Amino acid sequence: MDIEKLNFKKTISFINVIYLTIGYPPCNEFSKAKFLDKLRRNAFFIVLYSWGVLMTIGTLLRMYLTTSEVFNIWEVLSQIVVGSYFAVAMAKMLDIVKNRNNLAAILQEFERLWPSKVNTVNEKDIVERYMMRNTIWMTRYAYLSISCFLTVNSTPLFIMLIEYLTGGNAKLLLPFSAWFPYDEFNPKIYPFTYIYLFYGSHVGSASSICFDVLFCILLSHLSMHYKLLQEEISASVKNIKTDGSETLEDNMRNEVTLMKCIERHQLLIGIRYKIAYIFTNTIFFNFSCSTFNMCIVGFFFMIQESAGKTKFMIMFATLMSQIFLLCWYGQELLENSYSLSEAAYNCSWYASTQKFRKMILCIMRRSQKAEKLIAMKFWEISLSSFSTLLSASWSYFALLNTIIGELSEKPQGGLLT
């Protein structure tokens, strides 16, 4: 049976579209060998990545100056959110750049393994429905997240427009604060400053989102292949007769098929290790920062007046959905890799040859150790960690509310409007 509704390139095409907006080449292409070729190929991206780095430095420097000059707790908390977000985004993009050829090798390996033809309706259903569903969800998440960040950064424009139309004194606002060697609210310079912050925010959000969706798509491919491997193991024993009447030719065919399953299993384990090497350390940094950021954004939502709550609600939903998706696909990989042992056990291995039984035992023993992804050997990337992170964020929120929630001064400054 041919796979008609989906092909491999469709599963990553939307990632390459978003990378195109920040000048990064397609993630499934290898880097050029010569330095000058690399420089010409990536000149636009280098400029935009430097833009993102400047945004990170500017937001962190603004936080330092805020604490050393006129201390404003709302400015400090705002700069922690913005500065850590840019720091995480630039770290994610740096990981993608450093491991570009390794990622391209993984993607090309998945392209080689892509099943353009399958033997059963169930396998066809796994490829088309499972991968199509995940690709559609990841595409929607990526574009929706980009839209959310653009909406948040456009909020000051809407506020100024409303104030102007209602006859009020329209105060100049920026999407967030950063350090500038000039007066950013100078009417002649203000439009350029706003554009600088606006597109710089897109560079950060695109870098972060593409890292996340690329990680999730890779795990989707890996989980799909584990599902197909379960079907292949079942197919390797479909000719086994429990009455012991199978021929020598049948036994040899079953053994050869099972040996191919073992080789495929080892290949998938190797790919999992490569994915873990590239992504997990940065995901730990992401989890740590997002836990604190959700706490602060949730606190801002509680103290902000009604008109400004929408911005923080969008920010909180984006931060939480980002962590949730990483944990969800980590959980899927864990469950699909572990269920391989059940598929091996449920086949009629007891009626086959001793060699076959030894090989099936190898698969069972190895697959009983689920393919977990551990963020810097600390957090397991699974739904249990998601609940732990939410619990930690709530604890930090309660602590923050206890310490500064009863301040007599009016909350203003930073992200608050």
Side-chain angles (χ1 to χ4, degrees):
M1 299 180 188
D2 293 333
I3 303 298
E4 301 169 351
K5 297 181 180 179
L6 189 66
N7 58 47
F8 176 79
K9 290 184 178 179
K10 286 183 180 179
T11 64
I12 61 171
S13 59
F14 71 98
I15 302 175
N16 290 331
V17 169
I18 299 177
Y19 272 143
L20 185 63
T21 65
I22 57 173
Y24 194 73
C27 55
N28 55 324
E29 291 184 4
F30 286 93
S31 177
K32 301 291 184 181
K34 296 182 179 179
F35 177 76
L36 291 178
D37 291 336
K38 287 183 180 180
L39 196 61
R40 282 192 293 267
R41 180 77 167 106
N42 301 286
F44 186 48
F45 167 73
I46 293 171
V47 171
L48 294 182
Y49 186 78
S50 301
W51 193 333
V53 172
L54 286 175
M55 297 291 296
T56 308
I57 295 173
T59 53
L60 295 177
L61 186 57
R62 179 60 180 262
M63 180 179 68
Y64 170 75
L65 294 176
T66 300
T67 56
S68 60
E69 296 176 356
V70 180
F71 184 80
N72 184 332
I73 186 62
W74 316 114
E75 286 275 4
V76 172
L77 292 176
S78 297
Q79 294 310 114
I80 289 175
V81 173
V82 177
S84 62
Y85 173 76
F86 276 108
V88 170
M90 293 301 100
K92 287 180 175 180
M93 199 66 229
L94 183 61
D95 258 359
I96 297 294
V97 172
K98 287 193 307 181
N99 296 285
R100 178 174 167 183
N101 287 338
N102 293 331
L103 282 169
I106 293 173
L107 289 168
Q108 291 197 5
E109 186 68 28
F110 278 138
E111 186 173 15
R112 184 184 67 82
L113 293 172
W114 180 261
S116 56
K117 290 186 177 181
V118 292
N119 298 320
T120 65
V121 176
N122 197 22
E123 290 180 355
K124 182 180 176 70
D125 185 67
I126 289 172
V127 177
E128 289 189 339
R129 291 187 60 186
Y130 178 77
M131 278 307 301
M132 184 175 289
R133 182 195 69 195
N134 286 346
T135 302
I136 290 173
W137 275 111
M138 284 296 97
T139 305
R140 290 174 178 173
Y141 166 76
Y143 293 142
L144 182 62
S145 296
I146 291 289
S147 301
C148 287
F149 278 106
L150 295 180
T151 301
V152 167
N153 290 317
S154 301
T155 301
L157 294 177
F158 293 114
I159 293 175
M160 288 188 293
L161 180 61
I162 292 172
E163 289 180 350
Y164 176 78
L165 293 177
T166 54
N169 184 17
K171 180 183 177 182
L172 294 179
L173 300 173
L174 291 171
F176 51 89
S177 301
W179 177 83
F180 296 99
Y182 57 84
D183 180 13
E184 61 266 33
F185 293 107
N186 185 317
K188 295 181 180 179
I189 304 176
Y190 170 77
F192 301 100
T193 303
Y194 200 106
I195 294 171
Y196 170 79
L197 294 175
F198 191 93
Y199 194 78
S201 178
H202 170 72
V203 172
S205 61
S207 301
S208 181
I209 291 165
C210 284
F211 176 95
D212 296 338
V213 296
L214 180 58
F215 174 77
C216 293
I217 283 294
L218 290 176
L219 293 195
S220 295
H221 278 280
L222 201 54
S223 296
M224 179 197 71
H225 284 293
Y226 270 108
K227 285 177 174 287
L228 291 175
L229 189 57
Q230 295 176 35
E231 295 295 318
E232 291 175 12
I233 290 176
S234 299
S236 69
V237 296
K238 65 182 180 181
N239 294 323
I240 294 179
K241 300 175 182 178
T242 56
D243 59 1
S245 61
E246 62 274 316
T247 64
L248 179 61
E249 184 179 350
D250 291 334
N251 289 333
M252 291 182 63
R253 183 168 57 250
N254 293 336
E255 290 169 4
V256 169
T257 305
L258 187 59
M259 181 60 70
K260 291 180 180 179
C261 291
I262 293 175
E263 292 173 354
R264 192 180 185 87
H265 188 207
Q266 295 299 317
L267 178 61
L268 296 180
I269 292 173
I271 293 175
R272 199 278 299 172
Y273 277 114
K274 293 176 183 177
I275 293 174
Y277 175 77
I278 296 172
F279 289 93
T280 52
N281 289 344
T282 304
I283 288 177
F284 173 82
F285 184 35
N286 184 17
F287 280 179
S288 302
C289 291
S290 293
T291 302
F292 288 104
N293 286 349
M294 284 194 298
C295 152
I296 297 172
V297 170
F299 181 69
F300 280 175
F301 175 82
M302 295 297 296
I303 64 175
Q304 179 67 69
E305 296 179 355
S306 57
K309 285 183 180 292
T310 304
K311 176 174 69 173
F312 295 112
M313 182 174 66
I314 294 174
M315 292 175 66
F316 184 85
T318 304
L319 289 168
M320 187 173 67
S321 62
Q322 177 195 61
I323 297 177
F324 175 76
L325 280 175
L326 297 176
C327 293
W328 175 272
Y329 284 95
Q331 182 73 27
E332 278 207 336
L333 175 61
L334 189 152
E335 292 177 354
N336 288 324
S337 62
Y338 185 77
S339 61
L340 191 63
S341 62
E342 296 180 6
Y345 178 77
N346 290 332
C347 72
S348 304
W349 51 268
Y350 51 85
S352 187
T353 62
Q354 183 178 7
K355 182 178 179 180
F356 186 94
R357 292 197 294 269
K358 287 182 178 180
M359 287 193 294
I360 206 75
L361 181 61
C362 290
I363 291 182
M364 290 171 58
R365 292 185 63 182
R366 182 59 185 85
S367 56
Q368 283 175 349
K369 181 183 178 182
E371 294 301 311
K372 299 178 182 178
L373 289 170
I374 310 295
M376 202 177 280
K377 300 181 180 180
F378 188 78
W379 272 320
E380 178 184 292
I381 305 177
S382 64
L383 291 179
S384 61
S385 291
F386 176 70
S387 63
T388 302
L389 291 169
L390 284 185
S391 177
S393 183
W394 171 256
S395 300
Y396 302 147
F397 169 82
L399 179 62
L400 188 64
N401 188 50
T402 301
I403 295 174
I404 64 175
E406 302 299 328
L407 290 178
S408 58
E409 63 179 273
K410 181 182 177 181
Q412 58 183 352
L415 294 172
L416 295 168
T417 56

